[in-house]
Amino acid sequence: MTTPPPSNDDPHWLDEFEELANRELPEGSSCEQIHPIVEQWFQQVMSEEPPASRPSVEQATACLTTEVVNSFPDDIYEALLENFDEEEVVVWVEQILRIGRAFEAALREGKLDDL
């Protein structure tokens, strides 16, 4: 595996750790190690009720959902509508955004520190 040339923003003090990881972890193994932890977290999140959010957060999430759905390429949106009604697509996108929010919160709170 070739290392790309460093950019001006490259923190060179991390080079030693990157080289160690590249030596010790065969290609792809880091994802194989992390995936079961993330999968377990995901299954737990999906089995629970979503955490309560302030009304302003709910409104912002709904607005972002609308923006995401409106930015779908026409081909993708049409393919989705061939199999699902519009409300199902909107709910699915909103769920993805909520899972992303929960994932970010879990990372920030140290719930996935085993990564």
Side-chain angles (χ1 to χ4, degrees):
M1 180 165 80
T2 351
T3 306
S7 70
N8 292 338
D9 298 332
D10 187 20
H12 295 291
W13 62 272
L14 289 174
D15 291 349
E16 175 184 349
F17 300 105
E18 183 177 1
E19 290 168 8
L20 173 65
N22 288 338
R23 270 194 322 271
E24 297 296 320
L25 297 172
E27 189 172 326
S29 68
S30 60
C31 189
E32 290 171 14
Q33 292 170 6
I34 293 170
H35 186 273
I37 296 167
V38 173
E39 180 182 17
Q40 181 180 10
W41 172 86
F42 179 75
Q43 294 304 327
Q44 180 182 349
V45 165
M46 294 305 290
S47 69
E48 300 171 349
E49 285 293 315
S53 294
R54 298 185 318 272
S56 59
V57 172
E58 291 293 325
Q59 183 178 10
T61 302
C63 290
L64 181 57
T65 299
T66 300
E67 291 302 316
V68 169
V69 170
N70 288 339
S71 69
F72 280 167
D74 290 339
D75 292 346
I76 291 175
Y77 192 62
E78 290 169 11
L80 287 169
L81 291 181
E82 286 176 13
N83 297 290
F84 306 97
D85 66 32
E86 188 174 4
E87 181 65 21
E88 290 174 310
V89 172
V90 169
V91 168
W92 176 63
V93 170
E94 191 167 29
Q95 184 179 25
I96 292 169
L97 293 173
R98 288 182 182 180
I99 291 167
R101 227 178 122 231
F103 190 62
E104 189 275 333
L107 290 169
R108 188 175 2 105
E109 294 166 4
K111 292 180 179 176
L112 295 169
D113 279 352
D114 291 344
L115 296 179

